[in-house]
Amino acid sequence: MSGIFHEAGFWVAVSFVLFFVFFGRKVWAPIATILDSRAARIRQELDESAQLRREAEQMLEDATREREQALVEAKTMVEQSLQHAAELAEKARAEAEAAVQRHEQMARDRIAAVERAAIKEVRQAAIDVAVEAARGVLGQSLDQQKAEALVDQAIANLPTALARHAA
């Protein structure tokens, strides 16, 4: 056993143990404090990073939800726009057809008015020609007494003729 006391390793181990026995508490307390504070800081940073990760995931979910809502709104707007455009096209087509029908009716009315005016004009011309012809024939074939009798008869029939013509 005496050989063990002459070994340097033995004395290093003894001095190491004595050093920690005498100075262990004084050295261990600051080291433990430093290690504990570092562990607390690391724990705090881990908690902070976990919190940031949760916030980022929440933001991602919100952005995804908003994007989906925007897509749905865009689809709805496109569908409404297409429907509105179809309605406007149908309305324009119906208005164009109505305008064409109005123009056709106006043209028919004008044609009918022109026809009536032409018929009236032809009748008036025929009446004028007949009156002139009758005047010429009567002037040659009637004497004064027969002419006066015809005029008196025409004057007597005038109220009935006017009433017939007015009706």
Side-chain angles (χ1 to χ4, degrees):
M1 207 166 180
S2 66
I4 198 163
F5 291 119
H6 292 295
E7 299 239 355
F10 171 74
W11 290 110
V12 169
V14 169
S15 64
F16 187 73
V17 169
L18 287 176
F19 176 76
F20 274 107
V21 168
F22 290 122
F23 297 110
R25 286 191 180 155
K26 289 183 180 179
V27 172
W28 183 251
I31 291 173
T33 304
I34 291 171
L35 290 176
D36 287 343
S37 68
R38 184 164 183 203
R41 190 174 72 240
I42 290 172
R43 196 173 304 113
Q44 182 183 5
E45 288 175 0
L46 286 174
D47 291 344
E48 198 174 304
S49 67
Q51 177 66 25
L52 289 174
R53 180 184 172 104
R54 283 191 298 273
E55 288 176 5
E57 288 173 350
Q58 183 64 37
M59 290 173 68
L60 178 64
E61 288 175 9
D62 292 344
T64 304
R65 189 170 37 271
E66 288 175 2
R67 182 181 65 86
E68 288 172 358
Q69 285 177 341
L71 286 174
V72 167
E73 288 177 10
K75 279 184 180 179
T76 304
M77 290 175 73
V78 166
E79 289 172 359
Q80 287 176 349
S81 296
L82 290 175
Q83 184 179 7
H84 186 67
E87 289 172 359
L88 286 177
E90 180 61 29
K91 184 178 178 183
R93 187 190 61 73
E95 287 177 0
E97 284 182 9
V100 167
Q101 288 177 352
R102 281 193 307 269
H103 287 298
E104 285 178 3
Q105 187 60 41
M106 287 171 50
R108 285 189 198 116
D109 292 345
R110 284 186 202 145
I111 290 170
V114 168
E115 284 177 353
R116 284 191 304 271
I119 290 171
K120 186 177 180 181
E121 212 175 288
V122 168
R123 280 185 183 161
Q124 189 61 40
I127 290 171
D128 289 344
V129 167
V131 168
E132 284 299 319
R135 191 176 282 150
V137 169
L138 286 178
Q140 292 175 355
S141 66
L142 282 181
D143 63 358
Q144 182 67 24
Q145 190 178 16
K146 285 184 184 178
E148 286 178 6
L150 281 176
V151 169
D152 288 340
Q153 185 183 3
I155 290 174
N157 290 336
L158 188 63
T160 15
L162 287 176
R164 240 182 320 163
H165 184 65

